[in-house]
């Protein structure tokens, strides 16, 4: 240690004494001629118009191959997963040329003979008493360096943001934190009238046009990592800008949102059969009270005709009317015909007991009220949307389906989606006839796999994209969603995730390289999320890691616990 100390003093490098009694040299920066400098460090750093801070002197790029590279840095440099840097060619300070990179992984720096050196230290520590040496060997300065892997995200050419287009730089670069304002200005589209704010990046707001959420979106992450918090924030921000949202709520998370209308099927919600497709109704019968084999085919053919005739003539349909058609569908006095009539009626009577459909009287009253432009009681989707339209306001319509039988949950989803399709078609016609803004809702499916099979989702997504509605899938088990969701995904919001199968599933979305998502997923800090989109989506294909804001919304979805009650009891 004596020789090492004398060498340090000869170049006037200050020392810091550690608790173990060893001297560890601090990093000392020098002037261009190599002599020690007393000038402040800030005075010796490069500056750039694209950054709010001077260059980082404690970091250097050591590798760049294709779109992936590495930075070596001293531990005093603050570098985190998701940080974005501007690597500028040192000979282009006046013209600003370089690349924009994002950190995807951090690790200890490696160097020659690192393993053998660590083994030597370990042996020294184990035999410290016998050797009468210190318990802890002093680390060399090189041991205090770290390595960060980055991905190239964009290029800066003559001061302008451009696509990478295979651009590379030499190792002779200055490294800057990118200006948050510059970054967000180049990847986010702002339209103040319809802007949504989700959080912050650096000292700038992550704020963008809600139009970026058009079509298919996925919010995912491990349980308790903040998916519902972000979902509620998106819903409330959208409501404030005039967008109505429909939510299928499986965990009672959304009923306390501002302006929420909560429907509990079978209690305060009924559907209109004249807004339901005959195939959907037949699917519902098949799930709740299937027709017998002999009854099935004449019943199906007859019900299709009845639905078409009643809708063409704008007559209401209810289950009592359908039961009353038994003699028409099954004419004759033969015993087997009578048995078919009885089986048909029995199936419909069982469906009626679920109390899901309006009767003719309710339908007529609702129609009359709408014709007179009067307020309508909120007991159907039709009346709810009409009332929101009359008030020229947006709302949150929550279908609380938790606790219902799985087959009933599936029935509710089919009925709601049929009603929404019909509402969207009428809104489109109204838009062209009256030149008014159409009311197309955004639909949130919480844990969709619990009440929608893959085939239903596969059929739904292509249709939805042409009706005006936008979809959000919110789940902590993305592997349960079908390929169509990931193949047609427009935007992804991901919180922390550690399950390898789920990470692998999300990484196949095609919005960025798999290495980025695999690296980010388990390392996202608390209250942070990854926002990623297609080229015409929110971030224009840039994987943005941001701090999620506190939306200050009511908490809900508290799990009941007897253990907690026992612990809190006196």
């Amino acid at each position: 240690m004596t020789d090492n100390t004398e060498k340090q003093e000869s170049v006037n490098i200050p020392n810091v004494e550690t608790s173990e009694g060893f001297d560890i040299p601090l990093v000392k920066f020098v002037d261009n001629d190599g002599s020690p400098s007393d000038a402040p460090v800030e005075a010796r750093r490069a500056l750039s118009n694209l950054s709010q801070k001077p260059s980082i002197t404690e970091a250097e790029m050591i590798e760049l191959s294709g779109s992936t590279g590495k930075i070596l840095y001293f531990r005093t440099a603050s570098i985190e997963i998701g940080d974005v840097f501007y690597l500028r060619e040192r000979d282009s300070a006046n013209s600003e040329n370089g690349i924009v990179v994002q950190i995807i992984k951090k690790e200890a720096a490696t160097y020659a003979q690192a393993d053998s050196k660590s083994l030597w230290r370990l042996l020294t520590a184990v035999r410290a008493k016998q050797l009468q040496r210190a318990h802890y060997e002093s680390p060399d300065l090189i041991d205090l360096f770290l390595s960060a892997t980055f991905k190239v995200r964009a290029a800066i050419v003559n001061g302008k943001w451009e696509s990478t287009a295979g651009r590379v730089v030499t190792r002779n670069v200055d490294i800057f934190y990118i200006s948050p304002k510059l970054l967000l200005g180049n990847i986010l589209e702002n339209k103040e009238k319809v802007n949504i704010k989700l959080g912050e990046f650096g000292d700038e707001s992550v704020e963008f046009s809600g139009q970026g959420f058009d079509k298919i979106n996925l919010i995912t992450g491990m349980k308790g990592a903040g998916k519902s918090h972000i979902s509620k924030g998106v819903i409330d921000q959208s409501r404030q800008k005039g967008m109505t949202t429909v939510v299928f709520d499986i965990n009672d998370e959304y009923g306390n949102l501002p302006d929420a209308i909560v429907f509990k099927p079978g209690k305060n919600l009924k559907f209109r059969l004249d807004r339901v497709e005959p195939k959907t109704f037949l699917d519902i019968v098949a799930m709740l009270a299937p027709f017998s084999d002999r009854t099935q085919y004449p019943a199906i053919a007859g019900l299709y005709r009845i639905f078409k005739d009643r809708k063409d003539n704008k007559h209401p349909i209810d289950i009592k009317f359908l039961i009353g058609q038994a003699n028409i569908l099954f004419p004759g006095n033969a015993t087997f015909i009578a048995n078919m009539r009885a089986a048909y009626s029995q199936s419909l009577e069982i469906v009626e007991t679920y109390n899901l459909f309006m009767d003719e009287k309710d339908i007529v009253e609702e129609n009359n009220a709408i014709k007179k432009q009067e307020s309508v009681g909120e007991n159907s989707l039709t009346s709810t949307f009409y009332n929101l339209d009359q008030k020229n306001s947006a709302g949150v319509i929550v279908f609380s389906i938790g606790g219902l039988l799985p087959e009933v949950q599936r029935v509710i989803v089919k009925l709601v989606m049929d009603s929404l399709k019909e509402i969207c078609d009428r809104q489109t016609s109204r838009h062209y006839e009256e030149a008014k803004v159409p009311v197309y809702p955004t639909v949130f499916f919480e844990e969709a796999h619990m009440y929608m099979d893959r085939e239903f989702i596969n059929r739904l997504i292509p249709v939805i994209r042409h009706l005006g509605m936008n979809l959000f899938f919110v789940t902590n088990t993305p592997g349960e969603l079908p390929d169509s969701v990931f193949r047609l995904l427009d935007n992804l919001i991901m919180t922390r995730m550690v399950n390898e199968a789920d990470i692998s599933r999300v990484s196949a979305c095609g919005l960025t390289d798999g290495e980025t998502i695999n690296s980010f997923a388990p390392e996202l800090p608390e209250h942070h999320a990854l926002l990623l989109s297609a080229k015409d989506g929110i971030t224009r294909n840039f994987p943005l890691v941001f701090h999620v804001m506190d939306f200050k919304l009511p908490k809900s979805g508290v799990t009941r616990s007897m253990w907690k009650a026992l612990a809190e009891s006196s």
Side-chain angles (χ1 to χ4, degrees):
M1 289 300 299
T2 303
D3 293 342
N4 190 34
T5 302
E6 291 175 356
K7 187 175 181 180
Q8 291 169 10
E9 290 175 350
S10 66
V11 294
N12 194 30
I13 297 179
N15 300 310
V16 174
E17 187 169 312
T18 67
S19 59
E20 290 83 16
F22 286 90
D23 295 330
I24 303 175
L26 290 175
V27 173
K28 183 73 173 180
F29 298 98
V30 298
D31 289 330
N32 292 333
D33 60 1
S35 61
S37 172
D38 294 326
V41 172
E42 298 293 331
R44 285 168 277 135
R45 295 180 177 177
L47 300 175
S48 170
N49 293 328
L50 280 64
S51 177
Q52 297 172 343
K53 301 177 180 179
S55 64
I56 304 172
T57 53
E58 306 98 319
E60 289 287 339
M61 187 185 78
I62 58 172
E63 182 181 332
L64 176 59
S65 176
S67 63
T68 306
K70 283 193 174 183
I71 289 174
L72 184 69
Y73 65 100
F74 192 62
R75 65 179 182 179
T76 55
S78 177
I79 293 179
E80 302 296 339
I81 300 293
D83 282 351
V84 182
F85 294 95
Y86 168 40
L87 277 53
R88 185 186 68 188
E89 294 274 14
R90 283 182 176 145
D91 60 357
S92 69
N94 294 327
S95 54
E96 297 285 6
N97 292 296
I99 53 177
V100 176
V101 305
Q102 184 179 42
I103 304 300
I104 65 167
K105 184 167 60 177
K106 293 165 52 179
E107 55 195 346
T110 58
Y111 56 94
Q113 299 181 331
D115 291 341
S116 59
K117 186 172 183 180
S118 296
L119 179 60
W120 177 79
R121 281 188 183 146
L122 183 59
L123 289 170
T124 301
V126 170
R127 299 190 60 200
K129 290 184 179 179
Q130 288 87 344
L131 298 176
Q132 295 183 347
R133 299 186 62 170
H135 287 262
Y136 300 99
E137 187 69 24
S138 172
D140 289 344
L141 194 62
I142 195 169
D143 295 323
L144 304 181
F145 281 83
L146 300 169
S147 172
T149 302
F150 65 77
K151 288 286 184 179
V152 181
R153 303 298 188 199
I156 301 295
V157 180
N158 294 323
K160 294 183 179 180
W161 184 288
E162 296 186 1
S163 65
T164 54
R167 182 175 172 80
V168 297
V169 292
T170 67
R171 291 182 181 176
N172 190 31
V173 293
D174 288 316
I175 301 175
F176 299 90
Y177 287 99
I178 196 77
S179 162
K181 185 174 183 179
L182 172 75
L183 171 64
L184 299 182
N186 278 281
I187 66 174
L188 303 180
E189 182 179 6
N190 273 271
K191 292 184 179 178
E192 187 174 351
K193 188 176 180 180
V194 292
N195 269 1
I196 301 293
K197 180 181 176 182
L198 294 187
E200 298 81 29
F201 176 81
D203 55 359
E204 291 290 323
S205 293
V206 176
E207 195 169 345
F208 52 86
S209 169
Q211 189 176 351
F213 280 133
D214 271 352
K215 305 319 169 204
I216 313 301
N217 307 274
L218 172 62
I219 300 177
T220 189
M222 63 188 290
K223 185 178 179 181
K227 300 182 310 300
S228 296
H229 175 75
I230 295 174
S231 299
K232 288 186 277 191
V234 172
I235 291 170
D236 191 58
Q237 293 264 315
S238 301
R239 177 192 61 83
Q240 294 177 43
K241 297 299 182 179
M243 177 66 72
T244 290
T245 301
V246 172
V247 186
F248 291 98
D249 187 359
I250 201 81
N251 292 314
D252 291 331
E253 288 278 1
Y254 302 91
N256 290 338
L257 287 172
D259 292 341
I261 301 166
V262 181
F263 284 126
K264 294 185 180 295
K267 295 183 178 179
N268 67 336
L269 170 69
K270 293 184 180 180
F271 296 90
R272 293 178 52 152
L273 277 178
D274 58 344
R275 307 294 194 212
V276 175
E277 293 295 326
K279 183 182 184 308
T280 298
F281 181 69
L282 290 167
D283 288 343
I284 290 168
V285 174
M287 284 189 281
L288 301 180
F291 293 127
S292 64
D293 290 342
R294 180 176 288 186
T295 307
Q296 181 178 5
Y297 295 107
I300 290 174
L303 285 173
Y304 266 100
R305 289 196 303 271
I306 292 170
F307 268 75
K308 183 178 186 307
D309 178 69
R310 299 294 285 183
K311 287 186 176 183
D312 287 347
N313 292 287
K314 298 183 179 180
H315 293 315
I317 313 172
D318 66 5
I319 292 185
K320 282 186 172 58
F321 175 81
L322 296 178
I323 293 173
Q325 300 299 300
N327 289 329
I328 297 174
L329 295 178
F330 303 95
N333 297 319
T335 301
F336 79 92
I337 294 293
N339 290 338
M340 291 170 65
R341 278 199 301 267
Y344 165 83
S345 298
Q346 185 180 44
S347 289
L348 294 185
E349 286 166 358
I350 292 173
V351 172
E352 189 177 28
T353 64
Y354 285 89
N355 201 28
L356 295 174
F357 298 101
M358 297 173 69
D359 59 26
E360 182 176 346
K361 179 175 174 290
D362 292 333
I363 295 172
V364 171
E365 287 180 356
E366 184 174 87
N367 284 342
N368 290 336
I370 290 175
K371 286 179 182 177
K372 296 176 182 177
Q373 296 186 345
E374 296 173 349
S375 180
V376 186
E378 290 173 342
N379 65 341
S380 77
L381 265 183
T382 301
S383 58
T384 300
F385 269 86
Y386 175 77
N387 290 338
L388 291 173
D389 198 20
Q390 286 292 96
K391 291 183 290 186
N392 194 28
S393 63
V396 180
I397 304 169
V398 179
F399 292 93
S400 180
I401 59 176
L404 299 177
L405 293 172
E407 57 266 28
V408 177
Q409 292 176 340
R410 290 194 288 270
V411 164
I412 300 304
V413 174
K414 286 178 178 289
L415 289 170
V416 171
M417 295 314 299
D418 261 22
S419 297
L420 289 178
K421 290 174 188 176
E422 198 272 341
I423 287 170
C424 286
D425 285 340
R426 284 189 287 115
Q427 287 290 323
T428 299
S429 299
R430 177 174 176 268
H431 170 58
Y432 288 121
E433 292 170 5
E434 304 176 28
K436 290 188 177 181
V437 175
V439 181
Y440 299 137
T442 294
V443 185
F444 276 70
F445 294 104
E446 184 191 25
E447 302 298 350
H449 65 279
M450 298 180 71
Y451 46 83
M452 300 166 71
D453 58 40
R454 290 172 177 249
E455 183 183 352
F456 183 77
I457 296 174
N458 287 337
R459 292 198 310 268
L460 175 67
I461 287 179
V463 173
I464 285 296
R465 295 176 69 89
H466 299 287
L467 287 173
M469 287 185 276
N470 302 319
L471 296 187
F472 276 82
F473 292 94
V474 183
T475 182
N476 56 23
T477 53
E480 297 295 331
L481 295 173
D483 291 340
S484 58
V485 173
F486 297 93
R487 189 170 60 251
L488 298 173
L489 194 62
D490 293 285
N491 299 290
L492 167 69
I493 300 178
M494 183 180 72
T495 58
R496 188 167 182 262
M497 187 183 296
V498 296
N499 183 282
E500 291 184 3
D502 290 335
I503 295 172
S504 177
R505 184 67 168 141
V506 175
S507 67
C509 68
L511 298 180
T512 189
D513 60 280
E515 186 180 5
T516 291
I517 292 179
N518 278 289
S519 298
F520 279 166
E523 301 297 336
L524 287 169
E526 189 176 6
H527 308 307
H528 283 70
L530 167 67
L531 176 58
L532 177 61
S533 74
K535 287 188 177 180
D536 56 351
I538 295 170
T539 65
R540 301 176 190 176
N541 220 204
F542 194 104
L544 179 67
V545 176
F546 69 101
H547 181 269
V548 180
M549 66 184 286
D550 181 0
F551 298 102
K552 301 188 184 303
L553 295 169
K555 293 184 179 180
S556 55
V558 178
T559 302
R560 300 174 185 176
S561 169
M562 185 171 176
W563 284 113
K564 182 179 179 181
L566 288 170
E568 294 175 350
S569 63
S570 56

